[in-house]
Amino acid sequence: MTCGGNMARLMGATGLYRLTGESPVDWELAAYQAGFAVIEEAMAALEAELFALTAPAGRLAAWELLFRRQASGAGLGFRRQAAAKALGLRYGPATLGSLCQEVLPVAGVEGTVREQAGKLLVTGALRGVTETEARRLLDRLLPAHLAWELTLLEE
């Protein structure tokens, strides 16, 4: 409910005001409502920017630069998920599943991770980042004691 709507509801509930839409009180409420609408719109935009999962593209780009050298060019949904994971990266044991779900999106890769002869094999497609950036992030985020290899799929 808007501030102006809430004010009208509260005033009407007292029984002291007859809000018909034609009274001076209604006109004053309309003026308040117009002023509050500007503030409510700004607050809604600010609230959306506070969380990676709701941030608009511009704010998301600024957040991506906190953990990546470049903002992603991927779709907004993938970018939001990746930023949320990067900003709160805390996964449990480094299982293949957790690496696939938690680490690859942060690096801008959509794909799979498997192990072969003590080496991690990452296969996937880039999502809005360069190969150099994906490799840099994978090098930082994958377990340091394991060698890894990235194979990119053509789209």
Side-chain angles (χ1 to χ4, degrees):
M1 175 177 284
T2 65
C3 290
N6 192 41
M7 287 174 64
R9 183 184 62 80
L10 292 172
M11 291 174 76
T14 66
L16 298 173
Y17 302 94
R18 211 167 144 234
L19 302 174
T20 62
E22 301 296 324
S23 72
V25 174
D26 287 304
W27 303 333
E28 190 170 347
L29 278 174
Y32 289 141
Q33 214 163 10
F36 285 134
V38 173
I39 296 168
E40 289 168 341
E41 186 178 314
M43 293 296 289
L46 177 61
E47 186 178 6
E49 290 183 359
L50 290 176
F51 304 99
L53 293 175
T54 57
R59 174 55 57 197
L60 205 50
W63 283 20
E64 288 171 326
L65 293 176
L66 294 174
F67 62 91
R68 209 182 258 156
R69 290 184 180 151
Q70 65 175 102
S72 174
L76 196 56
F78 184 86
R79 290 177 62 200
R80 285 176 173 163
Q81 289 293 327
K85 289 175 187 300
L87 295 169
L89 189 61
R90 289 178 191 84
Y91 59 91
T95 64
L96 296 177
S98 69
L99 294 176
C100 184
Q101 292 175 356
E102 305 297 328
V103 174
L104 293 189
V106 175
V109 177
E110 186 172 29
T112 60
V113 180
R114 62 186 173 91
E115 185 180 0
Q116 183 177 335
K119 184 177 191 176
L120 295 177
L121 302 176
V122 179
T123 304
L126 297 177
R127 292 291 178 249
V129 298
T130 64
E131 182 178 346
T132 302
E133 185 65 7
R135 287 182 182 280
R136 185 185 73 81
L137 286 165
L138 287 171
D139 197 44
R140 285 180 49 206
L141 298 171
L142 289 173
H145 68 286
L146 293 174
W148 59 273
E149 181 180 306
L150 174 63
T151 303
L152 295 174
L153 303 173
E154 294 296 321
E155 291 206 25

